[in-house]
Amino acid sequence: MKRIPGQADAASTPPQLPVATAGGTGAHAEKKHAPDHARLLLGFTDDAGTTRLTRREHFGPLRVQKPLYPEAPSVCHAIIVHPPGGIVGGDQLAIAAEVGDGAHALLTTPGAGKWYRANGGISRQTVSLRAGAGATLEWLPQETIFFDAADVRMEHEVDLAADAAYLGAEILCFGRTASGESFNSGSVGQRTGIRRGGKLVWFEQGKLQAEAGAMHSPLALDAQTVCATLIAVGDGMDNALLGKLRETIGALALEGRSGATLMKQVLVARYMGQSSQVARQWLHAAWHVLRPPLMQRDAAIPRIWNT
């Protein structure tokens, strides 16, 4: 992925849900179908120390289960569910969430996301997140699996107040290696932008084209099939924390590659390897190291991750 530093003004309007589509099931992934629409808008509000899900709008096959409080009333866990279980060529997802001043929301998914072969259509996912003054936002979906010949575009935009904190993560799996499938054709394009206090603090974009040899190029995946990224934005991160993080995640990446970089208020950690299970362990370990200093709260693994 190519990183492009820069600055821009923060958006002055709340997250918008573009017209989008989503859906498709594994059993019918090879069949032609009209694109399905799926949009989800969530709003979280601090109510005297309790974070409440005060806004929930959806259209199409996207839902959120009831708010959960496995840690404390101040932290609301929301599980985003896509009932069809997979995304077919031409489908799109649009998710937007706003965490109000002083609130804390953790968003995750019940299982791996599956992106099926394109069948002539591009699949899209747009995620727009916003956190207000003193708010905390965690975006922690489970693995994303790209089937061979998938054609996917993913956009992720985060807008944070000057004192808000953010932890975002992803695990990308190229091909169903457990079934002997490789990602030999297709493409995955990504764009991520994070603003804090009106300034662009992180921006990267790139496109992996399997037919162009990106799966084996040393400038791309270099024959690795799994990559994981964790981005932390906020205060309380220093070189001592960076050293602890590198030591912790490095011990878990013996059969892969791992690294972390701190740039003032942004810390980025990455893993590349062959195992989604190792990537998950790596990500959980990194989260355990970063969450306490960044959010003044120990990492409590959502129970849905263990099912």
Side-chain angles (χ1 to χ4, degrees):
M1 296 292 185
K2 182 181 179 182
R3 302 183 185 88
I4 306 176
Q7 291 188 341
D9 293 333
S12 58
T13 58
Q16 299 295 314
L17 284 175
V19 175
T21 56
T25 63
H28 302 285
E30 300 296 326
K31 297 182 179 181
K32 296 290 184 179
H33 77 300
D36 299 320
H37 293 261
R39 305 192 298 270
L40 180 66
L41 174 59
L42 303 175
F44 299 86
T45 305
D46 174 55
D47 179 14
T50 297
T51 296
R52 301 192 184 279
L53 178 58
T54 53
R55 187 178 185 186
R56 176 168 47 184
E57 301 176 13
H58 70 265
F59 178 86
L62 268 180
R63 300 288 191 277
V64 65
Q65 295 180 350
K66 68 177 182 179
L68 302 174
Y69 297 90
E71 302 180 62
S74 59
V75 184
C76 181
H77 288 218
I79 301 173
I80 297 174
V81 180
H82 178 228
I87 302 169
V88 188
D91 294 351
Q92 300 183 18
L93 303 176
I95 301 170
E98 183 166 4
V99 182
D101 297 353
H104 185 164
L106 185 154
L107 308 179
T108 187
T109 58
K114 302 177 182 67
W115 296 74
Y116 299 123
R117 62 182 302 158
N119 286 330
I122 297 176
S123 305
R124 299 182 185 276
Q125 175 176 281
T126 301
V127 177
S128 301
L129 306 174
R130 170 172 284 189
T136 303
L137 174 58
E138 298 177 84
W139 173 259
L140 303 171
Q142 298 198 56
E143 297 94 321
T144 298
I145 303 173
F146 301 112
F147 285 42
D148 187 31
D151 197 356
V152 179
R153 303 293 180 270
M154 307 179 79
E155 295 187 8
H156 191 87
E157 297 291 336
V158 182
D159 188 3
L160 307 171
D163 60 348
Y166 170 77
L167 269 172
E170 65 179 9
I171 299 174
L172 306 181
C173 306
F174 294 86
R176 295 172 293 168
T177 55
S179 301
E181 178 188 275
S182 300
F183 193 72
N184 295 317
S185 63
S187 67
V188 177
Q190 287 186 287
R191 180 181 184 274
T192 300
I194 303 176
R195 293 176 172 81
R196 191 175 192 234
K199 295 183 178 180
L200 189 65
V201 297
W202 180 259
F203 181 82
E204 66 176 335
Q205 65 180 357
K207 183 179 180 182
L208 187 146
Q209 188 76 40
E211 293 89 343
M215 291 297 299
H216 298 280
S217 170
L219 299 179
L221 288 181
D222 197 18
Q224 308 298 323
T225 60
V226 178
C227 64
T229 301
L230 186 147
I231 302 178
V233 182
D235 302 321
M237 299 183 293
D238 55 23
N239 287 329
L241 177 64
L242 178 64
K244 180 180 179 181
L245 176 64
R246 285 174 171 170
E247 180 180 359
T248 300
I249 61 179
L252 293 172
L254 298 179
E255 297 182 358
R257 304 175 187 176
S258 177
T261 302
L262 176 63
M263 299 160 287
K264 295 183 179 180
Q265 56 187 317
V266 181
L267 189 152
V268 180
R270 296 192 192 274
Y271 164 84
M272 292 175 56
Q274 300 287 350
S275 170
S276 61
Q277 182 177 0
V278 172
R280 178 188 285 242
Q281 294 172 347
W282 176 94
L283 186 60
H284 291 180
W287 185 53
H288 273 85
V289 172
L290 293 176
R291 200 187 197 215
L294 187 65
M295 300 178 172
Q296 291 73 55
R297 186 171 294 278
D298 291 337
I301 297 294
R303 282 182 290 180
I304 194 70
W305 290 2
N306 297 320
T307 59

